[in-house]
Amino acid sequence: MPRKLSHIAPDWWDYTTLDSSLINDAAKLSEKDLRQLSRPGFKVVMYDTLEDFYLAEALEYIAAWRQSTADNPVGVCGPIGPTEQLPLVARLVNELGLSLKTSHFWGMDEWYDVETKKEVPITHPLSFEKADRELLFNRIQKKLAMPDANLHFPKGDVKEFVQSWNAGVRCAVMQGGQGDIKHWAFNDPLKRTGKYKNEPPTPEEYRKLGTRIVELHPITLAQNARTSGGGNITMVPKTAITVGPKETWLAEKVSIWQAGTHDNPLGQRLTALMISKGLADSAVPMSLLADHPNVQFNYFRGGLGSCSVEMH
């Protein structure tokens, strides 16, 4: 039986092409049900307050960078969205006097300008590198600061960024948020075209994708306008550079942070259910983490919401 068309964008794959029974099962999950989805290799953690949530996220940076030495450099791959943890990381580094001279950082993604065939400049209002520097790295005392050579931001020419993942630096943790289209970084579902017109890529095919330039699902454009641009979707580029599954599987741990400000109540439940049950499907890219050996989903209880119908 052929997969149904997307309820959102018929030219794309996305979670609305799943069997309705799976979506309905996810919608029924309570907070207690979510916590019980933990299994070996997949851990669900709940936080009572946003202060505790973002502090815990910031401490993942500190725990990783504390392991770094000249002989065994360690890095973190971090997101833009959420960003609330970034100033906390800078404050902790400064207060603890933690030298980052041997530590590394990978940015997860960046917008791509199709006209210049390059990443957007740091002057672009939505530049991810700009946000990382302003919210985190520019706030760290110079005597503790990470060398610029250890900061790896995705570029239009991805070769140098890809090489940095295979240069002897251990990625202790890759953090991320979850978008409305169930992505991490900009690993969106693919378009429904060519060999993937009737079936999405197999999980094995999708996991072979590395850092690359991607066309973004319409829902991702709308989400970034909502969360970062005041709703002005015209300022959001339609293409981006993203870290791929290939690099993701080099990270010792993948830690996803859901405060309720990015994905909705259904999405927060659906991907956890699919990962817990080993239901990997590339129409729901986050579900592919079912096969990663160390994944943690972190939830703010107050952001879980409900999937019950409520008119506004």
Side-chain angles (χ1 to χ4, degrees), residues 295-311:
V295 177
Q296 182 168 312
F297 269 28
N298 305 274
Y299 292 99
F300 167 51
R301 280 191 173 91
L304 277 174
S306 168
C307 295
S308 60
V309 175
E310 186 176 339
M311 306 300 285

Side-chain angles (χ1 to χ4, degrees), residues 189-226:
L190 300 190
K191 268 193 162 179
R192 197 164 185 157
T193 187
K195 65 182 290 190
Y196 302 127
K197 185 170 181 60
N198 297 315
E199 292 289 336
T202 65
E204 293 74 21
E205 287 175 310
Y206 198 105
R207 281 197 300 267
K208 290 177 182 178
L209 298 173
T211 299
R212 65 207 185 280
I213 296 164
V214 294
E215 184 177 357
L216 299 173
H217 192 286
I219 290 296
T220 296
L221 303 181
Q223 175 177 0
N224 279 273
R226 173 176 61 83

Side-chain angles (χ1 to χ4, degrees), residues 11 66 68 87 117 124 163 204 211 224 229 242 259 278 283 292 307:
D11 292 334
R66 270 183 159 171
S68 188
K117 298 191 184 324
H124 191 287
Q163 289 170 356
E204 293 74 21
T211 299
N224 279 273
T242 187
H292 191 285
C307 295

Side-chain angles (χ1 to χ4, degrees), residues 2-296:
R3 294 275 290 257
K4 57 186 177 180
L5 288 176
S6 166
H7 198 71
I8 307 168
D11 292 334
W12 290 79
W13 291 104
D14 55 54
Y15 71 96
T16 67
T17 68
L18 294 174
D19 188 282
S20 297
S21 62
L22 176 57
I23 295 174
N24 293 335
D25 285 345
K28 296 174 185 174
L29 294 176
S30 65
E31 179 203 322
K32 181 180 179 181
D33 295 331
L34 270 176
R35 285 188 278 114
Q36 292 177 343
L37 292 178
S38 292
R39 58 162 174 79
F42 178 56
K43 185 178 182 181
V44 175
V45 180
M46 297 284 176
Y47 299 88
D48 289 324
T49 66
L50 283 174
E51 291 83 358
D52 194 24
F53 179 89
Y54 289 120
L55 178 59
E57 187 175 9
L59 286 171
E60 280 194 335
Y61 284 73
I62 303 302
W65 286 339
R66 270 183 159 171
Q67 301 172 43
S68 188
T69 65
D71 295 332
N72 181 25
V74 175
V76 171
C77 183
I80 294 297
T83 59
E84 287 84 350
Q85 78 283 3
L86 297 177
L88 299 178
V89 176
R91 180 179 289 273
L92 287 166
V93 168
N94 290 335
E95 290 295 328
L96 295 170
L98 177 62
S99 173
L100 303 182
K101 299 302 181 185
T102 69
S103 302
H104 286 249
F105 174 82
W106 291 274
M108 295 191 82
D109 37 26
E110 185 56 276
W111 303 107
Y112 179 76
D113 187 329
V114 293
E115 293 185 1
T116 65
K117 298 191 184 324
K118 293 182 178 180
E119 69 284 354
V120 298
I122 201 167
T123 53
H124 191 287
L126 294 180
S127 164
F128 292 168
E129 179 177 350
K130 176 175 181 282
D132 274 319
R133 290 186 182 277
E134 290 182 352
L135 293 173
L136 171 54
F137 295 106
N138 292 352
R139 302 183 182 208
I140 293 173
Q141 297 172 18
K142 289 185 177 180
K143 65 180 181 180
L144 304 173
M146 188 179 295
D148 210 55
N150 294 9
L151 287 167
H152 311 290
F153 294 106
K155 305 295 182 184
D157 183 348
V158 303
K159 291 196 295 290
E160 186 176 338
F161 183 80
V162 170
Q163 289 170 356
S164 70
W165 283 88
N166 298 284
V169 181
R170 179 167 60 91
C171 180
V173 62
M174 176 184 285
Q175 284 192 349
Q178 176 171 299
D180 283 337
I181 208 61
K182 324 309 170 209
H183 65 201
W184 82 99
F186 278 132
N187 290 296
D188 279 15
L190 300 190
K191 268 193 162 179
R192 197 164 185 157
T193 187
K195 65 182 290 190
Y196 302 127
K197 185 170 181 60
N198 297 315
E199 292 289 336
T202 65
E204 293 74 21
E205 287 175 310
Y206 198 105
R207 281 197 300 267
K208 290 177 182 178
L209 298 173
T211 299
R212 65 207 185 280
I213 296 164
V214 294
E215 184 177 357
L216 299 173
H217 192 286
I219 290 296
T220 296
L221 303 181
Q223 175 177 0
N224 279 273
R226 173 176 61 83
T227 59
S228 304
N232 183 2
I233 199 168
T234 63
M235 73 184 295
V236 181
K238 294 181 179 180
T239 52
I241 314 150
T242 187
V243 69
K246 189 180 292 185
E247 290 78 27
T248 302
W249 259 253
L250 295 175
E252 294 178 354
K253 177 182 180 181
V254 179
S255 187
I256 304 299
W257 294 80
Q258 309 214 49
T261 54
H262 290 87
D263 203 1
N264 52 51
L266 173 65
Q268 293 183 70
R269 290 160 169 79
L270 177 63
T271 53
L273 178 63
M274 295 180 74
I275 291 172
S276 178
K277 303 302 182 185
L279 303 175
D281 189 308
S282 70
V284 186
M286 187 70 81
S287 72
L288 302 185
L289 294 176
D291 296 321
H292 191 285
N294 186 7
V295 177
Q296 182 168 312

